[in-house]
């Protein structure tokens, strides 16, 4: 799948945001964002690492819910960047305007990140977003209802190395001649070597195998795709952190120079320099 990477300088757009934080799966409970901002994340950019929970209801529902979140973000000088997981409709992230013009333009402090968008935050944090995951819990769900076409993790395009060499073309201009390198990855899934996770994501049930006998291999194969992309990135980038959700437990693994941090449901992690 081919992507047009966007580079967004949040430090320039929101200079009041001093802190960069990462949040685990919220599964449609948008009050978690508000609660974390009020208690722990004022003046912050918060990256939600997938399973935001959009797509299960009509767009009007999310317009109403995000209006509440936007008021909290406004009053606390914070921004939320949403990354897709397997429990998100990819259309909200690939082309938000097609789903809802209001969701795309009406919330200055809520950003739907497309796969491979790059964000700069204060402290020269440059975050590469990698969305998507294969659902393993499909036995009691239906396509077009609560299983979404295109939910999987995709490599950027056929020639991955070419994409690496031209990571963010919108930066290659006189306006931003010396952009800093990517130093943080935020994704939903983890690479295969990320410590205390497993390819069965907490254990597959017999019903899941009946629905798709190859589900275990599919989940593992997309993590190997992420391994490959990170390996290529490592030639030109020094990735200091990799945050992910999906596995519903906290875990930590160090693959020098990268600290890989798995976030539990609703878990907030703040980078402290």
């Amino acid at each position: 799948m081919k992507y047009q990477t966007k580079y967004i300088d949040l430090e320039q757009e929101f200079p009041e945001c001093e802190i960069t934080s990462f949040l685990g799966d919220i599964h449609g409970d948008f009050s978690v964002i508000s609660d974390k901002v009020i208690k722990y994340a004022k003046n912050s950019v918060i990256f939600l690492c997938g399973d935001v929970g959009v797509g299960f209801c009509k767009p009007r529902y999310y317009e109403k819910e995000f209006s509440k979140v936007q008021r909290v973000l406004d009053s606390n000088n914070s921004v939320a960047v949403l990354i897709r997981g397997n429990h998100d409709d990819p259309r909200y992230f690939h082309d938000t305007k097609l789903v809802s013009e209001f969701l795309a333009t009406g919330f200055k402090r809520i950003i739907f990140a497309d796969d491979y968008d790059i964000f700069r935050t204060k402290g020269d944090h440059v975050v590469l977003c990698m969305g998507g995951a294969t659902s393993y819990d499909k036995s009691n769900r239906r396509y077009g209802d609560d299983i979404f076409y295109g939910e999987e993790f995709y490599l950027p395009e056929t020639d991955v190395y070419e994409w690496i060499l031209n990571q963010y073309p919108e930066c290659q201009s006189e306006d931003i001649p010396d952009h800093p390198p990517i130093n943080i990855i935020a994704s939903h899934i983890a690479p295969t070597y990320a410590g205390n996770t497993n390819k069965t994501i907490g254990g597959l049930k017999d019903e899941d195998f009946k629905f798709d006998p190859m589900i275990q291999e599919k989940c593992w194969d997309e993590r190997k795709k992420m391994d490959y992309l990170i390996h290529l990135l490592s030639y030109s980038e020094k990735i200091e952190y990799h945050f992910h959700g999906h596995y519903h437990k906290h875990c930590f693994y160090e693959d020098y120079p990268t600290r890989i941090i798995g976030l539990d449901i609703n878990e907030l992690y703040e980078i402290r320099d």
Side-chain angles (χ1 to χ4, degrees):
M1 185 171 290
K2 190 176 181 65
Y3 294 97
Q4 178 60 55
T5 295
K6 298 188 295 295
Y7 178 90
I8 302 170
D9 193 335
L10 295 179
E11 180 180 16
Q12 185 177 48
E13 190 171 352
F14 301 99
E16 69 276 18
C17 291
E18 302 278 348
I19 299 166
T20 302
S21 298
F22 298 82
L23 181 60
D25 305 15
I26 63 170
H27 298 124
D29 186 357
F30 306 114
S31 66
V32 172
I33 305 173
S34 300
D35 183 61
K36 298 295 184 184
V37 167
I38 292 168
K39 291 181 179 177
Y40 311 110
K42 294 177 174 64
N43 301 97
S44 297
V45 177
I46 304 175
F47 290 86
L48 278 72
C49 294
D51 279 6
V52 180
V54 295
F56 297 90
C57 303
K58 299 293 185 183
R60 183 72 187 108
Y61 170 78
Y62 300 109
E63 293 169 4
K64 180 180 177 181
E65 290 300 307
F66 284 131
S67 293
K68 301 174 189 175
V69 177
Q70 174 76 18
R71 287 194 290 271
V72 174
L73 294 169
D74 273 334
S75 60
N76 290 276
N77 295 323
S78 293
V79 173
V81 178
L82 315 182
I83 301 167
R84 73 180 182 94
N86 55 299
H87 290 148
D88 293 302
D89 186 337
R91 295 176 299 170
Y92 281 77
F93 303 82
H94 295 333
D95 196 342
T96 314
K97 282 187 179 180
L98 285 179
V99 178
S100 165
E101 180 77 24
F102 188 51
L103 285 176
T105 61
F107 301 110
K108 180 181 179 183
R109 294 180 178 271
I110 299 173
I111 301 170
F112 287 84
D114 201 355
D115 300 346
Y116 301 103
D117 282 352
I118 297 168
F119 297 84
R120 180 179 180 176
T121 64
K122 189 158 284 189
D124 278 343
H125 300 308
V126 181
V127 183
L128 171 63
C129 299
M130 297 183 182
T134 296
S135 289
Y136 68 96
D137 54 342
K138 292 182 178 179
S139 55
N140 295 315
R141 301 165 61 202
R142 294 185 302 173
Y143 276 102
D145 185 5
D146 52 6
I147 301 176
F148 304 111
Y149 292 101
E151 66 175 15
E152 299 85 2
F153 168 78
Y154 292 99
L155 291 174
E157 54 187 21
T158 304
D159 189 346
V160 181
Y161 190 65
E162 181 181 347
W163 178 84
I164 295 295
L165 294 177
N166 302 281
Q167 290 165 16
Y168 22 106
E170 293 180 11
C171 292
Q172 312 295 342
S173 68
E174 294 180 0
D175 298 329
I176 315 176
D178 296 312
H179 54 273
I182 296 165
N183 49 33
I184 299 173
I185 293 172
S187 64
H188 193 49
I189 63 170
T192 61
Y193 49 84
N196 190 29
T197 60
N198 60 66
K199 61 184 176 183
T200 60
I201 318 176
L204 290 164
K205 301 176 182 178
D206 289 340
E207 308 90 81
D208 299 318
F209 281 111
K210 289 177 183 176
F211 185 90
D212 184 351
M214 300 298 292
I215 190 62
Q216 186 169 351
E217 287 79 3
K218 289 177 181 177
C219 292
W220 194 239
D221 284 347
E222 70 178 357
R223 293 180 67 182
K224 290 194 288 186
K225 289 179 183 177
M226 179 171 281
D227 292 353
Y228 174 58
L229 182 56
I230 293 171
H231 174 70
L232 291 179
L233 275 171
S234 68
Y235 286 111
S236 58
E237 317 293 323
K238 182 181 178 181
I239 308 300
E240 299 174 12
Y241 290 96
H242 183 167
F243 294 93
H244 66 84
H246 195 39
Y247 305 99
H248 300 176
K249 57 185 175 183
H250 176 86
C251 53
F252 175 85
Y253 179 78
E254 190 157 11
D255 181 46
Y256 184 82
T258 307
R259 285 165 279 186
I260 304 173
I261 299 168
L263 300 168
D264 202 349
I265 295 172
N266 302 342
E267 179 184 356
L268 184 74
Y269 189 104
E270 173 188 325
I271 292 181
R272 298 180 180 272
D273 294 314

